[in-house]
Amino acid sequence: MAWHDEAVFYHIYPLGLTGAPKQNSYEKPVHRLNTLIPWISHIKEIGCNALYIGPLFESVGHGYETTDYKKLDSRLGDNDDLKNFVAECHRQGIRVILDGVFNHTGRDFFAFQDIKKNRENSPYKDWYCNVNFWGNNEYDDGFSYQNWGGYNLLIKLNQHNPAVRDYICDVIRFWVKEFDIDGIRLDAADVMEFDYMRAFRQVAEEVKPDFWLMGEVIHGDYTRWVNENTLHSVTNYHLHKALYSGHNDHNYFEIAHTVKRLYGMGGNRPDGLKLYNFVDNHDVERIYTKLTNKAHFVPVHILLYTLPGVPSIYYGSEFGIEGKKERYSDDSLRPALELSDYDDAPKTNPCTRLIGALGRIRQANKALSYGDYHELLLTNRQYAFSRNCGGESVVITVNNDESDYVMNVPAGAGAAYVGALSGQRVDVVDGRITVNVKANAGEIWIPVLEEESLADDGKDKENVLEAVTEKKPERQEEKFGKAAGPGTEKKETGKAGKPEKAVEPERAMGSGKTAEPDKGMELGRTAEPKKDVKPENTTKLKRTKTTEEENTRETEGRTRKENKKTSGKPNQTAETGEDAIPDKEEEAFERGKIAGLQEAILAIMEKNGPITDQMRRDVTENVYHDSLINWVKSFH
C-alpha cells in the first residue's frame, strides 16, 4: 500500500489560476504562487489529499516550453516560494506532484542557445533530434530540427543521448532534494522512449519511498507504459471519453465496456492497473460544458470516485464552472479564479457539496481504493457494480434516466446498507438489496456489519444527495463561466414505465440466483419504502400510477428509440440484445456512416502520431454513431 493508492487528486494549472501574464519577461519574480496557499485548506476541505500542479518552471509562455528546469517561473515567484508551498501542503496532509516536461524544451533553454551560437561546434548539438545545419525555419536559425506537435517553439530532446538522460535524472533528484515533492506527471509520455522512462523509474526508486510517476498518455494499451519497469500510472483518456459520452448518449454500455476492458488489462485485479481518472483537465473542455444534461454532473462524479483508479478534480470544476475549448486558445480552460468568490460554496453550491462528500466517502471506505470490481446490473440508463475488499462490499448504483428506477442487486455481508450520500438505510433480504435510484443521480451503498449499530446508523446524517439533485444553486457569475449546479436546467418530464431489460452478470456474491423483489416492489418502478426504513433518513419513494396499457405503450416507444443503441453490435435492441429486423438499405446506410466516422478518426489520429494496433481496435470496435461524433469533436 502506497500513498497514491488512496489518493484523491486536485489539479491546478498555476499560470492560469494565478492570472499570470501570457508571456514571461524574465524580470524580477512576482510571488503569485503564494496566493495559492489558501487553496490548500480548500483542497483538504473537499476531500482531496493530493495535488498535481504544473507546469511550474521557468518558461517563455504557457509553461511547456521550458527555459530552466531548476528555477520556478518568475511569473510565479522564486524557489523559496515553491519550497514553502510544498511544505504547507505536507503540513496539511496533501501530497504534491509536479509537471515534468522532459520530452522537449523551449528555444531559450541553455543547450539550444549554445547551438544557435556555436552551431556545429556546440557540445549540445546532439541534445536534440535531427539537428540539420543545412536547413532553416521560420525563426531564421540557419538550421532545422525535430519539434513536438508541429511547433518549432518546442524542440524535441534526443532521449537516446546519455547526456540528456543524465541531465534530466539530475533534475528529478534536484526537485526532490530542493522541494521535497512526492511524484511527477510526465508530459507527453506517449511519445517518449521507453528506455528514457525506465531511467526515470530507477531514479524514482532511489530518491524517495513511494515516489510516483504518472504519464500523460492518450490512447493505446496502457500496460505498455504502466508496469514495474516504467510508470506507476497514466492518464485514463479512455474512461474520460466514456464518462461524458456515455451520459450524453444514455449509453452505460460504453462506460461498462471501457471499465471491463481496462480492468482486464490489469489482469482483472484491483492492484493491476491503477489509472489516473479525470473528467476534465487543462487540455479538454470542462465537464459541465460537455454534458448535454447538466444534472448528469451527479452520476458522472459518483462514477469518477468509485470506479477502479485514482480520481482527480480540476480546479474550479468543483464549483460547476464552464470552459469551452477555442480553436486558437485554451484560455477559457485555464481561468484565473478568486477563492474568496466561492467562500460559501461548500455549503451552498450543490456541485461543491457533492465533490466534498465524495472525497470524504472515498477516503473513509478502503474498498473504493483497494476493492475488486464486479458488474451487477447494466442497461443503457442504469448501472450497478460492487467494490469488494476484506469482506466488505460497497455497492454503487447510478441512473441517467429522467425517472427514478428501482434496482434489486446482490449485496455483501451484513444486515443492512446505508446510502453514503442520502443516509437512507435498506435491509439485506436473501443476500440482495432493493433500492430506489433517483433520476439523474446515484448512490454509494455502504454495508453495516454490526447489528447493534443499526439503531444509530444514518442518524443525523446530512442528505447530500437530496441537496445536489433538488436544490437550485445561487448563480455565481464570473468572467469565465457560471457556477451552476445540477438541477438548474429545465428537466424533461416523463413517466416511470417498464424499464429496459437489465443485463445482470453472474452474481459475485452468493449463489448466483436472482431473487424476486419484495412484494409490491416491481423492478424498475418507483414504490413506497418498506416500513422498517427510518423516514427521517430516507428520501421518499413515490408510487407512479401507470396502467399496464401505458406501460406497454411507453415500453414500445422506448424500444423503437433504443433499437439502434446496442450492447456491442449494431442492429441489436437495447432491451433484449436480440437481432432486430432492419431495413436492408437503412442498415447499409448506417454501416456506411459508422465506417466513415471510424476512418475520419483514424486519419486524424494518424496526423497526430503513429497509430498502435490497440488504438486501431479502440476505433473499429466503437460502433456507436453519437459516440464517434463526440470523438471527432474532441480533436478540435
Side-chain angles (χ1 to χ4, degrees), residues 403-446:
S403 302
D404 290 9
Y405 188 94
V406 174
M407 291 185 186
N408 179 264
V409 294
Y417 273 71
V418 170
L421 291 171
S422 66
Q424 177 184 346
R425 192 196 118 196
V426 294
D427 287 345
V428 176
V429 179
D430 295 329
R432 304 174 74 85
I433 54 174
T434 300
V435 298
N436 182 64
V437 190
K438 300 286 288 183
N440 297 317
E443 183 58 284
I444 304 167
W445 301 97
I446 310 297

mmCIF file of all heavy atoms in Angstrom, residues 403-446:
data_model
loop_
_atom_site.group_PDB
_atom_site.id
_atom_site.type_symbol
_atom_site.label_atom_id
_atom_site.label_comp_id
_atom_site.label_asym_id
_atom_site.label_seq_id
_atom_site.Cartn_x
_atom_site.Cartn_y
_atom_site.Cartn_z
ATOM 1 N N SER A 403 -36.386 9.443 -14.909
ATOM 2 C CA SER A 403 -37.284 8.873 -13.911
ATOM 3 C C SER A 403 -36.490 8.053 -12.906
ATOM 4 O O SER A 403 -35.427 7.519 -13.224
ATOM 5 C CB SER A 403 -38.327 7.965 -14.577
ATOM 6 O OG SER A 403 -39.079 8.669 -15.544
ATOM 7 N N ASP A 404 -37.029 7.947 -11.688
ATOM 8 C CA ASP A 404 -36.415 7.078 -10.698
ATOM 9 C C ASP A 404 -36.453 5.628 -11.182
ATOM 10 O O ASP A 404 -37.263 5.265 -12.046
ATOM 11 C CB ASP A 404 -37.165 7.169 -9.365
ATOM 12 C CG ASP A 404 -36.962 8.512 -8.677
ATOM 13 O OD1 ASP A 404 -36.394 9.424 -9.304
ATOM 14 O OD2 ASP A 404 -37.385 8.643 -7.518
ATOM 15 N N TYR A 405 -35.595 4.817 -10.615
ATOM 16 C CA TYR A 405 -35.506 3.423 -11.035
ATOM 17 C C TYR A 405 -35.210 2.568 -9.810
ATOM 18 O O TYR A 405 -34.301 2.874 -9.034
ATOM 19 C CB TYR A 405 -34.389 3.255 -12.070
ATOM 20 C CG TYR A 405 -34.316 1.903 -12.726
ATOM 21 C CD1 TYR A 405 -34.949 1.672 -13.940
ATOM 22 C CD2 TYR A 405 -33.596 0.856 -12.152
ATOM 23 C CE1 TYR A 405 -34.867 0.438 -14.566
ATOM 24 C CE2 TYR A 405 -33.518 -0.379 -12.766
ATOM 25 C CZ TYR A 405 -34.147 -0.587 -13.974
ATOM 26 O OH TYR A 405 -34.066 -1.818 -14.590
ATOM 27 N N VAL A 406 -35.960 1.500 -9.632
ATOM 28 C CA VAL A 406 -35.749 0.596 -8.505
ATOM 29 C C VAL A 406 -34.893 -0.579 -8.948
ATOM 30 O O VAL A 406 -35.217 -1.266 -9.914
ATOM 31 C CB VAL A 406 -37.087 0.093 -7.926
ATOM 32 C CG1 VAL A 406 -36.835 -0.969 -6.856
ATOM 33 C CG2 VAL A 406 -37.867 1.257 -7.327
ATOM 34 N N MET A 407 -33.783 -0.779 -8.262
ATOM 35 C CA MET A 407 -32.872 -1.883 -8.564
ATOM 36 C C MET A 407 -32.923 -2.925 -7.450
ATOM 37 O O MET A 407 -33.031 -2.579 -6.269
ATOM 38 C CB MET A 407 -31.425 -1.386 -8.661
ATOM 39 C CG MET A 407 -31.108 -0.508 -9.842
ATOM 40 S SD MET A 407 -29.317 -0.140 -9.866
ATOM 41 C CE MET A 407 -29.240 1.034 -11.214
ATOM 42 N N ASN A 408 -32.797 -4.177 -7.840
ATOM 43 C CA ASN A 408 -32.624 -5.274 -6.893
ATOM 44 C C ASN A 408 -31.320 -5.960 -7.253
ATOM 45 O O ASN A 408 -31.214 -6.590 -8.303
ATOM 46 C CB ASN A 408 -33.802 -6.251 -6.975
ATOM 47 C CG ASN A 408 -33.646 -7.408 -6.018
ATOM 48 O OD1 ASN A 408 -33.169 -8.473 -6.393
ATOM 49 N ND2 ASN A 408 -34.057 -7.208 -4.769
ATOM 50 N N VAL A 409 -30.290 -5.761 -6.432
ATOM 51 C CA VAL A 409 -28.945 -6.217 -6.783
ATOM 52 C C VAL A 409 -28.329 -7.015 -5.648
ATOM 53 O O VAL A 409 -28.722 -6.869 -4.482
ATOM 54 C CB VAL A 409 -28.029 -5.022 -7.133
ATOM 55 C CG1 VAL A 409 -28.499 -4.318 -8.398
ATOM 56 C CG2 VAL A 409 -27.936 -4.044 -5.969
ATOM 57 N N PRO A 410 -27.342 -7.861 -5.952
ATOM 58 C CA PRO A 410 -26.657 -8.629 -4.905
ATOM 59 C C PRO A 410 -25.952 -7.703 -3.916
ATOM 60 O O PRO A 410 -25.463 -6.634 -4.280
ATOM 61 C CB PRO A 410 -25.630 -9.456 -5.687
ATOM 62 C CG PRO A 410 -26.130 -9.492 -7.086
ATOM 63 C CD PRO A 410 -26.844 -8.206 -7.299
ATOM 64 N N ALA A 411 -25.909 -8.141 -2.673
ATOM 65 C CA ALA A 411 -25.233 -7.391 -1.619
ATOM 66 C C ALA A 411 -24.237 -8.300 -0.917
ATOM 67 O O ALA A 411 -24.253 -9.519 -1.090
ATOM 68 C CB ALA A 411 -26.253 -6.846 -0.626
ATOM 69 N N GLY A 412 -23.393 -7.711 -0.110
ATOM 70 C CA GLY A 412 -22.395 -8.482 0.614
ATOM 71 C C GLY A 412 -22.876 -8.850 1.996
ATOM 72 O O GLY A 412 -24.078 -8.886 2.278
ATOM 73 N N ALA A 413 -21.926 -9.107 2.886
ATOM 74 C CA ALA A 413 -22.260 -9.494 4.248
ATOM 75 C C ALA A 413 -22.871 -8.316 4.994
ATOM 76 O O ALA A 413 -22.644 -7.162 4.668
ATOM 77 C CB ALA A 413 -21.003 -9.989 4.960
ATOM 78 N N GLY A 414 -23.649 -8.627 6.024
ATOM 79 C CA GLY A 414 -24.252 -7.584 6.825
ATOM 80 C C GLY A 414 -25.763 -7.620 6.739
ATOM 81 O O GLY A 414 -26.350 -8.223 5.831
ATOM 82 N N ALA A 415 -26.377 -6.970 7.699
ATOM 83 C CA ALA A 415 -27.836 -6.968 7.770
ATOM 84 C C ALA A 415 -28.462 -5.834 6.988
ATOM 85 O O ALA A 415 -29.638 -5.893 6.631
ATOM 86 C CB ALA A 415 -28.276 -6.885 9.233
ATOM 87 N N ALA A 416 -27.687 -4.790 6.720
ATOM 88 C CA ALA A 416 -28.264 -3.621 6.043
ATOM 89 C C ALA A 416 -27.160 -2.833 5.352
ATOM 90 O O ALA A 416 -25.971 -3.052 5.569
ATOM 91 C CB ALA A 416 -28.995 -2.739 7.045
ATOM 92 N N TYR A 417 -27.597 -1.910 4.502
ATOM 93 C CA TYR A 417 -26.707 -0.962 3.827
ATOM 94 C C TYR A 417 -27.222 0.449 4.080
ATOM 95 O O TYR A 417 -28.438 0.656 4.255
ATOM 96 C CB TYR A 417 -26.675 -1.223 2.323
ATOM 97 C CG TYR A 417 -25.664 -2.247 1.881
ATOM 98 C CD1 TYR A 417 -25.838 -3.594 2.162
ATOM 99 C CD2 TYR A 417 -24.524 -1.881 1.183
ATOM 100 C CE1 TYR A 417 -24.909 -4.549 1.759
ATOM 101 C CE2 TYR A 417 -23.589 -2.808 0.772
ATOM 102 C CZ TYR A 417 -23.788 -4.141 1.066
ATOM 103 O OH TYR A 417 -22.853 -5.055 0.668
ATOM 104 N N VAL A 418 -26.317 1.403 4.073
ATOM 105 C CA VAL A 418 -26.687 2.812 4.226
ATOM 106 C C VAL A 418 -26.154 3.596 3.040
ATOM 107 O O VAL A 418 -24.996 3.422 2.641
ATOM 108 C CB VAL A 418 -26.126 3.397 5.540
ATOM 109 C CG1 VAL A 418 -26.311 4.911 5.574
ATOM 110 C CG2 VAL A 418 -26.815 2.773 6.739
ATOM 111 N N GLY A 419 -26.991 4.443 2.460
ATOM 112 C CA GLY A 419 -26.562 5.308 1.376
ATOM 113 C C GLY A 419 -25.640 6.389 1.915
ATOM 114 O O GLY A 419 -26.049 7.187 2.764
ATOM 115 N N ALA A 420 -24.402 6.427 1.437
ATOM 116 C CA ALA A 420 -23.425 7.376 1.968
ATOM 117 C C ALA A 420 -23.789 8.821 1.641
ATOM 118 O O ALA A 420 -23.373 9.739 2.348
ATOM 119 C CB ALA A 420 -22.040 7.039 1.425
ATOM 120 N N LEU A 421 -24.534 9.031 0.568
ATOM 121 C CA LEU A 421 -24.914 10.394 0.184
ATOM 122 C C LEU A 421 -26.258 10.817 0.771
ATOM 123 O O LEU A 421 -26.474 11.991 1.043
ATOM 124 C CB LEU A 421 -24.971 10.507 -1.345
ATOM 125 C CG LEU A 421 -23.637 10.420 -2.080
ATOM 126 C CD1 LEU A 421 -23.859 10.315 -3.584
ATOM 127 C CD2 LEU A 421 -22.754 11.620 -1.763
ATOM 128 N N SER A 422 -27.168 9.872 0.938
ATOM 129 C CA SER A 422 -28.522 10.207 1.384
ATOM 130 C C SER A 422 -28.788 9.876 2.842
ATOM 131 O O SER A 422 -29.696 10.441 3.446
ATOM 132 C CB SER A 422 -29.540 9.454 0.518
ATOM 133 O OG SER A 422 -29.438 8.047 0.743
ATOM 134 N N GLY A 423 -28.014 8.943 3.434
ATOM 135 C CA GLY A 423 -28.300 8.489 4.790
ATOM 136 C C GLY A 423 -29.409 7.458 4.845
ATOM 137 O O GLY A 423 -29.767 6.984 5.918
ATOM 138 N N GLN A 424 -29.969 7.083 3.710
ATOM 139 C CA GLN A 424 -31.060 6.110 3.670
ATOM 140 C C GLN A 424 -30.544 4.723 4.007
ATOM 141 O O GLN A 424 -29.467 4.311 3.578
ATOM 142 C CB GLN A 424 -31.688 6.084 2.271
ATOM 143 C CG GLN A 424 -32.788 5.041 2.102
ATOM 144 C CD GLN A 424 -33.306 4.983 0.677
ATOM 145 O OE1 GLN A 424 -33.029 5.886 -0.101
ATOM 146 N NE2 GLN A 424 -34.036 3.944 0.350
ATOM 147 N N ARG A 425 -31.319 3.976 4.791
ATOM 148 C CA ARG A 425 -30.962 2.615 5.161
ATOM 149 C C ARG A 425 -31.875 1.618 4.465
ATOM 150 O O ARG A 425 -33.088 1.806 4.404
ATOM 151 C CB ARG A 425 -31.075 2.420 6.669
ATOM 152 C CG ARG A 425 -30.437 1.126 7.165
ATOM 153 C CD ARG A 425 -30.904 0.780 8.575
ATOM 154 N NE ARG A 425 -31.601 -0.499 8.556
ATOM 155 C CZ ARG A 425 -32.370 -0.931 9.533
ATOM 156 N NH1 ARG A 425 -32.578 -0.171 10.576
ATOM 157 N NH2 ARG A 425 -32.944 -2.107 9.454
ATOM 158 N N VAL A 426 -31.285 0.549 3.928
ATOM 159 C CA VAL A 426 -32.073 -0.539 3.336
ATOM 160 C C VAL A 426 -31.582 -1.860 3.907
ATOM 161 O O VAL A 426 -30.381 -2.041 4.150
ATOM 162 C CB VAL A 426 -31.963 -0.557 1.788
ATOM 163 C CG1 VAL A 426 -32.583 0.678 1.186
ATOM 164 C CG2 VAL A 426 -30.514 -0.695 1.333
ATOM 165 N N ASP A 427 -32.495 -2.790 4.123
ATOM 166 C CA ASP A 427 -32.137 -4.092 4.670
ATOM 167 C C ASP A 427 -31.691 -5.042 3.568
ATOM 168 O O ASP A 427 -32.134 -4.939 2.414
ATOM 169 C CB ASP A 427 -33.327 -4.702 5.413
ATOM 170 C CG ASP A 427 -33.595 -3.998 6.733
ATOM 171 O OD1 ASP A 427 -32.695 -3.245 7.186
ATOM 172 O OD2 ASP A 427 -34.687 -4.172 7.303
ATOM 173 N N VAL A 428 -30.834 -5.970 3.944
ATOM 174 C CA VAL A 428 -30.428 -7.038 3.037
ATOM 175 C C VAL A 428 -31.442 -8.165 3.166
ATOM 176 O O VAL A 428 -31.705 -8.654 4.271
ATOM 177 C CB VAL A 428 -29.018 -7.552 3.375
ATOM 178 C CG1 VAL A 428 -28.644 -8.728 2.477
ATOM 179 C CG2 VAL A 428 -27.993 -6.432 3.231
ATOM 180 N N VAL A 429 -32.039 -8.581 2.060
ATOM 181 C CA VAL A 429 -33.029 -9.656 2.044
ATOM 182 C C VAL A 429 -32.567 -10.725 1.065
ATOM 183 O O VAL A 429 -32.391 -10.435 -0.134
ATOM 184 C CB VAL A 429 -34.432 -9.132 1.639
ATOM 185 C CG1 VAL A 429 -35.436 -10.286 1.601
ATOM 186 C CG2 VAL A 429 -34.892 -8.042 2.592
ATOM 187 N N ASP A 430 -32.360 -11.935 1.570
ATOM 188 C CA ASP A 430 -31.896 -13.035 0.724
ATOM 189 C C ASP A 430 -30.621 -12.665 -0.042
ATOM 190 O O ASP A 430 -30.463 -12.984 -1.225
ATOM 191 C CB ASP A 430 -32.986 -13.469 -0.269
ATOM 192 C CG ASP A 430 -34.201 -14.053 0.432
ATOM 193 O OD1 ASP A 430 -34.020 -14.663 1.510
ATOM 194 O OD2 ASP A 430 -35.313 -13.899 -0.093
ATOM 195 N N GLY A 431 -29.727 -11.953 0.628
ATOM 196 C CA GLY A 431 -28.449 -11.609 0.009
ATOM 197 C C GLY A 431 -28.514 -10.497 -1.009
ATOM 198 O O GLY A 431 -27.560 -10.303 -1.774
ATOM 199 N N ARG A 432 -29.616 -9.733 -1.025
ATOM 200 C CA ARG A 432 -29.782 -8.672 -2.015
ATOM 201 C C ARG A 432 -30.368 -7.433 -1.352
ATOM 202 O O ARG A 432 -30.962 -7.506 -0.271
ATOM 203 C CB ARG A 432 -30.692 -9.142 -3.166
ATOM 204 C CG ARG A 432 -30.201 -10.409 -3.860
ATOM 205 C CD ARG A 432 -31.216 -10.900 -4.892
ATOM 206 N NE ARG A 432 -31.222 -10.066 -6.078
ATOM 207 C CZ ARG A 432 -30.388 -10.222 -7.114
ATOM 208 N NH1 ARG A 432 -29.478 -11.179 -7.086
ATOM 209 N NH2 ARG A 432 -30.453 -9.433 -8.167
ATOM 210 N N ILE A 433 -30.208 -6.307 -2.009
ATOM 211 C CA ILE A 433 -30.853 -5.075 -1.560
ATOM 212 C C ILE A 433 -31.710 -4.525 -2.696
ATOM 213 O O ILE A 433 -31.367 -4.664 -3.874
ATOM 214 C CB ILE A 433 -29.838 -4.005 -1.111
ATOM 215 C CG1 ILE A 433 -28.801 -3.722 -2.198
ATOM 216 C CG2 ILE A 433 -29.173 -4.407 0.194
ATOM 217 C CD1 ILE A 433 -27.857 -2.567 -1.873
ATOM 218 N N THR A 434 -32.837 -3.944 -2.321
ATOM 219 C CA THR A 434 -33.718 -3.286 -3.285
ATOM 220 C C THR A 434 -33.692 -1.798 -2.978
ATOM 221 O O THR A 434 -34.041 -1.376 -1.879
ATOM 222 C CB THR A 434 -35.151 -3.825 -3.182
ATOM 223 O OG1 THR A 434 -35.138 -5.232 -3.452
ATOM 224 C CG2 THR A 434 -36.056 -3.135 -4.197
ATOM 225 N N VAL A 435 -33.229 -1.008 -3.950
ATOM 226 C CA VAL A 435 -33.004 0.415 -3.704
ATOM 227 C C VAL A 435 -33.631 1.244 -4.814
ATOM 228 O O VAL A 435 -33.671 0.829 -5.969
ATOM 229 C CB VAL A 435 -31.493 0.724 -3.608
ATOM 230 C CG1 VAL A 435 -30.876 -0.027 -2.443
ATOM 231 C CG2 VAL A 435 -30.758 0.374 -4.897
ATOM 232 N N ASN A 436 -34.106 2.406 -4.423
ATOM 233 C CA ASN A 436 -34.601 3.362 -5.405
ATOM 234 C C ASN A 436 -33.471 4.304 -5.780
ATOM 235 O O ASN A 436 -32.875 4.958 -4.927
ATOM 236 C CB ASN A 436 -35.768 4.173 -4.835
ATOM 237 C CG ASN A 436 -36.329 5.149 -5.846
ATOM 238 O OD1 ASN A 436 -36.855 4.764 -6.873
ATOM 239 N ND2 ASN A 436 -36.208 6.443 -5.543
ATOM 240 N N VAL A 437 -33.151 4.358 -7.087
ATOM 241 C CA VAL A 437 -32.089 5.239 -7.568
ATOM 242 C C VAL A 437 -32.749 6.460 -8.190
ATOM 243 O O VAL A 437 -33.495 6.342 -9.171
ATOM 244 C CB VAL A 437 -31.186 4.521 -8.591
ATOM 245 C CG1 VAL A 437 -29.967 5.384 -8.884
ATOM 246 C CG2 VAL A 437 -30.759 3.157 -8.069
ATOM 247 N N LYS A 438 -32.491 7.608 -7.619
ATOM 248 C CA LYS A 438 -33.141 8.832 -8.072
ATOM 249 C C LYS A 438 -32.780 9.136 -9.528
ATOM 250 O O LYS A 438 -31.723 8.761 -10.031
ATOM 251 C CB LYS A 438 -32.712 10.007 -7.200
ATOM 252 C CG LYS A 438 -33.049 9.853 -5.730
ATOM 253 C CD LYS A 438 -34.516 10.043 -5.456
ATOM 254 C CE LYS A 438 -34.935 11.480 -5.579
ATOM 255 N NZ LYS A 438 -36.367 11.678 -5.246
ATOM 256 N N ALA A 439 -33.674 9.854 -10.212
ATOM 257 C CA ALA A 439 -33.436 10.262 -11.593
ATOM 258 C C ALA A 439 -32.160 11.100 -11.687
ATOM 259 O O ALA A 439 -31.906 11.966 -10.845
ATOM 260 C CB ALA A 439 -34.625 11.061 -12.104
ATOM 261 N N ASN A 440 -31.358 10.826 -12.701
ATOM 262 C CA ASN A 440 -30.119 11.575 -12.950
ATOM 263 C C ASN A 440 -29.243 11.669 -11.692
ATOM 264 O O ASN A 440 -28.711 12.735 -11.367
ATOM 265 C CB ASN A 440 -30.442 12.990 -13.454
ATOM 266 C CG ASN A 440 -31.176 12.962 -14.783
ATOM 267 O OD1 ASN A 440 -30.823 12.202 -15.677
ATOM 268 N ND2 ASN A 440 -32.212 13.787 -14.897
ATOM 269 N N ALA A 441 -29.111 10.556 -11.013
ATOM 270 C CA ALA A 441 -28.357 10.563 -9.758
ATOM 271 C C ALA A 441 -27.759 9.184 -9.513
ATOM 272 O O ALA A 441 -27.587 8.389 -10.437
ATOM 273 C CB ALA A 441 -29.262 11.001 -8.602
ATOM 274 N N GLY A 442 -27.472 8.903 -8.275
ATOM 275 C CA GLY A 442 -26.879 7.626 -7.912
ATOM 276 C C GLY A 442 -26.620 7.594 -6.430
ATOM 277 O O GLY A 442 -26.931 8.537 -5.695
ATOM 278 N N GLU A 443 -26.037 6.495 -5.980
ATOM 279 C CA GLU A 443 -25.769 6.338 -4.548
ATOM 280 C C GLU A 443 -24.626 5.354 -4.333
ATOM 281 O O GLU A 443 -24.348 4.499 -5.184
ATOM 282 C CB GLU A 443 -27.038 5.861 -3.815
ATOM 283 C CG GLU A 443 -26.926 5.717 -2.316
ATOM 284 C CD GLU A 443 -26.518 6.995 -1.588
ATOM 285 O OE1 GLU A 443 -25.312 7.321 -1.665
ATOM 286 O OE2 GLU A 443 -27.386 7.639 -0.956
ATOM 287 N N ILE A 444 -23.952 5.512 -3.218
ATOM 288 C CA ILE A 444 -22.884 4.612 -2.791
ATOM 289 C C ILE A 444 -23.381 3.924 -1.523
ATOM 290 O O ILE A 444 -23.555 4.575 -0.488
ATOM 291 C CB ILE A 444 -21.583 5.388 -2.519
ATOM 292 C CG1 ILE A 444 -21.166 6.183 -3.758
ATOM 293 C CG2 ILE A 444 -20.462 4.440 -2.094
ATOM 294 C CD1 ILE A 444 -20.077 7.215 -3.493
ATOM 295 N N TRP A 445 -23.620 2.631 -1.624
ATOM 296 C CA TRP A 445 -24.224 1.880 -0.523
ATOM 297 C C TRP A 445 -23.135 1.203 0.296
ATOM 298 O O TRP A 445 -22.396 0.364 -0.205
ATOM 299 C CB TRP A 445 -25.228 0.862 -1.065
ATOM 300 C CG TRP A 445 -26.332 1.504 -1.849
ATOM 301 C CD1 TRP A 445 -26.414 1.647 -3.200
ATOM 302 C CD2 TRP A 445 -27.504 2.123 -1.303
ATOM 303 N NE1 TRP A 445 -27.557 2.318 -3.541
ATOM 304 C CE2 TRP A 445 -28.254 2.624 -2.399
ATOM 305 C CE3 TRP A 445 -27.995 2.304 -0.012
ATOM 306 C CZ2 TRP A 445 -29.467 3.284 -2.236
ATOM 307 C CZ3 TRP A 445 -29.215 2.961 0.157
ATOM 308 C CH2 TRP A 445 -29.933 3.439 -0.941
ATOM 309 N N ILE A 446 -23.050 1.594 1.576
ATOM 310 C CA ILE A 446 -22.016 1.100 2.485
ATOM 311 C C ILE A 446 -22.629 0.052 3.412
ATOM 312 O O ILE A 446 -23.677 0.296 4.015
ATOM 313 C CB ILE A 446 -21.423 2.252 3.324
ATOM 314 C CG1 ILE A 446 -21.017 3.424 2.406
ATOM 315 C CG2 ILE A 446 -20.256 1.759 4.164
ATOM 316 C CD1 ILE A 446 -19.943 3.087 1.414
#
